[in-house]
Amino acid sequence: MNLPPLSPWQQRAYAQATDALAAGHFGHATLIVGPALIGKRLLAEQLARRVLCLSPRADGEACGTCKSCTLFASRAQMETPELRPDGSPAHPWGHSAHPDLRFLGYEINQKTGKPRGEIVIEQIRALSEKMGLTAQLGGAQVVIVDPCDAINWSAFNALLKTLEEPQPGRYLWLLASNPAQLPATIRSRCQRLELRLPPREEALAWLRQQGHAEALANEALDAARGHPGLARAWASGDGLTLRRDAVKDAQALQRGQAEASDVAQRWVADGRAVERLGHLADFALQEAAGLTDPAATRTLAARFDAANRARGLLRTTVRADLAVMEALLAWR
């Protein structure tokens, strides 16, 4: 399969990385950072395709026809779907058949048969073992960890050993939306490649290219505060409608026109409470923008924290309606 084309902001980061590769300055370990849904995974996979190609073109790009490129493009999902906590695929385009390319992310717990909620030490040890082997096709080896924010603390210690023992031709790329949450010992041993939000007109043009009407693209981009990936997610399907309804519920709670318990029951009924809580947290941020009143700012900060805390609780065995109701009570 062919990967989607890079967006303009991905292309800028890609050019930065390929310039470093050409100059021999692209290190063993790279931390690829940027907001969620900005396109870190696609950027990493396109870089991997280039690095692994056995017969690159004159400009350094992958040829698309050698054995490496053919294996890279051969994709399959696991029989039991590997899912992120939000229900999206852990590996959007599936695992590659390339023997020297490994994707590390949310896996299925073999004991329970359910998706893991974190990256555990056994996965990191397997990663280290693979990176110690000789490349089967005789070229480079690439491991993409997505998202490295999900690595648990005991596993970080195992990862540190891999970072401290670089080997030629081995690349370890860590994708993170919240790099500040990573241990300083990890961050200090990685180069950094950042994906930034693009100018508004560029984001709008890209959304139109994705097939979204001008008015919808503008509304979604405004709601996403200039984030094109988030805007596309919300503009697709009923995502933006879900956001509007979540905001209406929050406003009804503020006016005393709704009960938190009733709203919570409705939010969990269709299994999309995590999405709604994300919209609730984002609405709190939007309301806080430009505020100068400290008390109002503290209130909105508490609402933001409550929504995100509830999102975390929904990944545990806590009753979903009670976790959601706690977040909603902050809006009374």
Side-chain angles (χ1 to χ4, degrees), residues 5-15 38-43 195 206:
L6 295 175
S7 65
W9 56 92
Q10 289 170 318
Q11 189 63 51
R12 286 190 288 272
Y14 181 83
I38 197 64
K40 299 183 292 296
R41 179 58 177 266
L42 179 58
L43 170 64
L195 275 167
W206 179 78

Side-chain angles (χ1 to χ4, degrees), residues 139-159:
Q141 288 189 45
V142 176
V143 175
I144 297 173
V145 182
D146 177 29
C148 73
D149 321 54
I151 298 175
N152 68 27
W153 282 91
S154 61
F156 270 126
N157 291 327
L159 179 63

Side-chain angles (χ1 to χ4, degrees), residues 320-331:
D321 59 330
L322 296 181
V324 174
M325 186 171 69
E326 183 184 1
L328 293 171
L329 285 171
W331 289 83

Side-chain angles (χ1 to χ4, degrees), residues 292-300:
T292 56
D293 177 20
T297 301
R298 283 194 297 271
T299 297
L300 287 164

Side-chain angles (χ1 to χ4, degrees), residues 179-253:
Q181 295 181 2
L182 307 181
T185 49
I186 299 294
R187 285 182 276 124
S188 66
R189 286 165 173 78
C190 297
Q191 288 184 337
R192 185 179 174 108
L193 181 63
E194 187 168 359
L195 275 167
R196 299 181 176 88
L197 295 182
R200 181 179 178 83
E201 286 307 312
E202 183 175 273
L204 273 176
W206 179 78
L207 286 169
R208 289 193 296 266
Q209 287 176 355
Q210 308 306 304
H212 297 297
E214 182 82 21
L216 183 62
N218 270 290
E219 181 187 356
L221 197 60
D222 285 340
R225 298 192 309 282
H227 187 326
L230 198 55
R232 180 176 67 170
W234 289 348
S236 301
D238 64 348
L240 204 54
T241 300
L242 196 75
R243 176 182 170 81
R244 294 187 197 112
D245 290 344
V247 169
K248 286 178 182 176
D249 285 337
Q251 292 170 334
L253 287 166

